[in-house]
Amino acid sequence: MRLRALLDTDALGLRLLGGEDELDRTVRGVMTTDLRDPSRYLSGGELVLTGLAWRRDAADSEPFVRILATAGVAALAAGEAELGDIPDDIVEACARHRLPLFAVNESVAFATVTEHVVRQVSGERAGDLAAVVDRHRRLMTSGPAGGGPDVVLDLLGTDLDLRAWVLSPAGRAIAGSSAAGPELPAGVRARLAAEHLAATRTGRRGPHRVTLNSTTYSLFPIRSAGRGATPASRDVRETVLSDWLLAVEADAGDWPEERLDLLQGVTQLIAVERDRRDAARTVRRRLAQEVLELVQTGAAPAEIAARLRVAAPVLLPGLGAAPHWQVIVAKVEWDSGDIEGGPVAQSLLEEILVDPLSAGPEPSDRIAVAHNGDEAIALVPLPAVPDEHDGTQAGLHADALLDSVRDPLTAGLADDGRLTLGVSAAVHSAEGLRGALEEARHARRVAAARTGRVCAAGHQELASHVLLLPFVPDDVRRAFTARLLDPLRDYDRKHRAELIPTLEAFLDCDGSWTRCASRLHLHVNTLRYRVGRIEQLTNRDLSRLEDKLDFFLALRMS
């Protein structure tokens, strides 16, 4: 397309400031930058969009414009949102270098100009889009000049008519093209994530094709290149529960290599965004690590409180009052292999603790997660708002955390992994954090005693002594039950008596003679005889609370 065609499109809000004689130049691409020297990202023929953040004073304009002219760009378009009218020094520099200059009205987004130019300049759409993806990836690698994954997904929709979404391993929507139409239902997203994780665990190469409700989707893995080891050398279990995926509503089985290569380029671009998001989490992770180290080493509450005051503005920007806090502990364990579970659990917690209804790559900016050995520990700030139903502090609940993500995570854990999670009650002071941490750890151990690949327990469940029984060692359990119950079992076997059923019924009736006798259809004197025999054989007294409790626990553990 020609430069003069840009002026004919009112929706772009462009105003020519100089270079009227150069409007027949051909535009071959578009680039957004606020770098002082963007030369390494220019190949010639671009319309360069800039918000002028690189300009500190008038002296900066000449070198910036000279760099663009030397690179052979088609024109410069400067936004008016930052400085209002475009400064004269920029106008004069563009005139000296014969570089056409446009002003972009503050009401027009750069993304609007970008999308229009890309659509117009596409002769061979797929080839041109691949070039845009490549340039966009280089921009994103250099800094926040790119537009994020949504921009590229929009290009897939407008240029290739592909509906596409970026999903988390738990099925949460990270990004989607505007052409994708209505948001994918939560159930569909969860199924796609589960299918992708299951295929990844079996070692199948992407894209994976899945048909749901008569619609075929192709699933492309998005593998980060910024986590140390190369993808080929990493154990898949290190990243399977944290890597994103690109879901495209199409059957890629018969796609030519060129189109498959283009989609692989899109996944690499999105991986750059993922790496940037992980880098942005560094501060929150460090805050969590510092606070938790203070808590675990028994630091004074005043010292912990001071650290929390520093952390609160980062985790809850704009919050006036000090928040309440909750502690959540997670552990990922594998049956075999030397895999450090802490980092895996850390990435997974950062995903699980995000509201499943939220979208975008950055809704977890109020969560701080550290890892210590094989466990990950999350410090979650809660606004001091009481629950409207019972007046207590609102907070996260164990089952609710996993309800929407259980199926995908189970598929990712396959038959050799396990996730257990414990949730503390909300606390409102530094003094309560140590207890909250121990409470969350104990709740996680309760969850670990249950069956299933993905299990959770909350502080509400720790009130029952029954939940403590799974933690009694097997040898202690056997010795305790044998000492109390074996004499009764031997007597029942030899005399065809029913002392064990009588004991169970007596305890279940809270020691009431009449209710127990009625339940067993016995005369009260017969019941008294049986209870007397139980006490004689065991040397215990069922009128004493301690002996009743011992018998109750022995029956539960037997």
Side-chain angles (χ1 to χ4, degrees), residues 303-357:
E303 185 179 359
I304 299 174
R307 196 65 197 145
L308 286 177
R309 284 194 294 272
V310 174
V314 176
L315 300 177
L316 281 179
L319 186 69
H324 290 65
W325 301 90
Q326 240 176 327
V327 176
I328 299 176
V329 173
K331 192 171 186 179
V332 174
E333 300 171 282
W334 305 100
D335 292 345
S336 61
D338 185 18
I339 300 173
E340 188 179 1
V344 179
Q346 182 181 47
S347 296
L348 194 54
L349 258 190
E350 287 171 334
E351 168 60 32
I352 291 174
L353 295 179
V354 177
D355 182 348
L357 298 179

Side-chain angles (χ1 to χ4, degrees), residues 66 70 123 139 142 352 373 386 417 444 524:
R66 184 172 61 250
T70 302
L139 282 174
S142 69
I352 291 174
R444 193 207 62 78
V524 172

Side-chain angles (χ1 to χ4, degrees), residues 79-295:
E80 296 179 320
E82 184 72 20
L83 301 177
D85 292 338
I86 307 305
D88 291 340
D89 48 272
I90 296 178
V91 177
E92 293 165 3
C94 287
R96 281 193 296 273
H97 291 279
R98 300 180 61 82
L99 182 66
L101 174 64
F102 297 92
V104 184
N105 190 280
E106 63 180 352
S107 64
V108 178
F110 281 1
T112 301
V113 179
T114 298
E115 292 169 10
H116 176 81
V117 171
V118 169
R119 284 196 299 269
Q120 295 302 315
V121 301
S122 0
E124 187 67 35
R125 286 179 179 264
D128 184 77
L129 179 56
V132 173
V133 168
D134 183 63
R135 283 196 297 274
H136 203 85
R137 179 171 65 250
R138 286 182 283 144
L139 282 174
M140 294 180 71
T141 303
S142 69
D150 298 271
V151 172
V152 178
L153 296 188
D154 284 344
L155 294 177
L156 288 178
T158 56
D159 281 33
L160 297 184
D161 197 27
L162 292 176
R163 288 157 47 89
W165 302 265
V166 177
L167 304 179
S168 78
R172 189 175 60 83
I174 303 294
S177 61
S178 59
E183 183 181 339
L184 281 177
V188 173
R189 297 198 310 268
R191 284 283 306 280
L192 291 176
E195 293 286 348
H196 171 74
L197 292 176
T200 301
R201 286 305 313 276
T202 60
R204 287 162 46 198
R205 295 186 61 186
H208 314 303
R209 287 175 288 161
V210 180
T211 300
L212 299 178
N213 303 325
S214 302
T215 301
T216 299
Y217 300 88
S218 296
L219 310 178
F220 294 80
I222 299 173
R223 297 193 173 97
S224 171
R227 301 182 206 172
T230 62
S233 66
R234 289 199 302 257
D235 189 311
V236 67
R237 292 174 294 181
E238 294 181 55
T239 58
V240 66
L241 298 177
S242 57
D243 280 342
W244 291 349
L245 67 133
L246 174 66
V248 180
E249 189 180 297
D251 188 342
D254 56 357
W255 280 7
E257 285 297 324
E258 293 79 4
R259 181 167 284 207
L260 287 173
D261 288 344
L262 171 61
L263 267 294
Q264 293 298 340
V266 171
T267 65
Q268 293 168 16
L269 169 60
I270 298 169
V272 174
E273 177 69 21
R274 173 62 191 270
D275 288 341
R276 181 183 302 158
R277 193 283 309 265
D278 284 346
R281 284 179 167 172
T282 302
V283 173
R284 297 190 294 276
R285 288 174 170 177
R286 187 170 64 246
L287 283 173
Q289 193 74 47
E290 291 174 357
V291 171
L292 290 169
E293 285 178 1
L294 291 175
V295 171

Side-chain angles (χ1 to χ4, degrees), residues 370-382:
H371 71 82
N372 182 11
D374 284 338
E375 72 176 7
I377 305 167
L379 187 64
V380 181
L382 302 170

Side-chain angles (χ1 to χ4, degrees), residues 360-535:
E362 285 295 342
S364 58
D365 59 357
R366 296 185 175 186
I367 299 165
V369 185
H371 71 82
N372 182 11
D374 284 338
E375 72 176 7
I377 305 167
L379 187 64
V380 181
L382 302 170
V385 178
D387 187 282
E388 62 181 4
H389 299 295
D390 58 14
T392 61
Q393 171 63 36
L396 302 172
H397 296 272
D399 288 338
L401 286 176
L402 295 185
D403 279 348
S404 60
V405 300
R406 194 182 306 272
D407 290 345
L409 296 183
T410 299
L413 292 162
D415 58 357
D416 64 342
R418 192 146 192 262
L419 165 68
T420 52
L421 184 147
V423 181
S424 80
V427 296
H428 65 277
S429 66
E431 289 90 340
L433 274 181
R434 185 174 181 83
L437 176 59
E438 292 306 314
E439 189 174 58
R441 281 176 167 158
H442 188 63
R444 193 207 62 78
R445 289 192 291 270
V446 169
R450 297 171 175 167
T451 58
R453 291 290 170 186
V454 180
C455 297
H459 62 93
Q460 304 94 334
E461 304 176 64
L462 300 183
S464 173
H465 62 275
V466 177
L467 290 171
L468 302 178
L469 300 184
F471 304 110
V472 178
D474 288 343
D475 54 346
V476 176
R477 181 197 306 263
R478 286 191 293 269
F480 183 72
T481 57
R483 186 166 59 251
L484 281 176
L485 301 183
D486 278 2
L488 307 183
R489 293 188 180 116
D490 291 342
Y491 189 89
D492 283 347
R493 186 171 53 254
K494 292 177 181 178
H495 301 278
R496 297 184 178 182
E498 295 184 342
L499 296 186
I500 293 289
T502 300
L503 176 62
E504 291 175 330
F506 185 73
L507 295 175
D508 194 45
C509 291
D510 298 324
S512 169
W513 297 99
T514 55
R515 283 196 289 122
C516 184
S518 176
R519 175 182 294 188
L520 296 175
H521 306 290
L522 298 175
H523 192 278
V524 172
N525 288 341
T526 303
L527 176 61
R528 290 184 183 278
Y529 172 80
R530 289 186 181 181
V531 170
R533 179 63 66 183
I534 291 170
E535 293 175 334

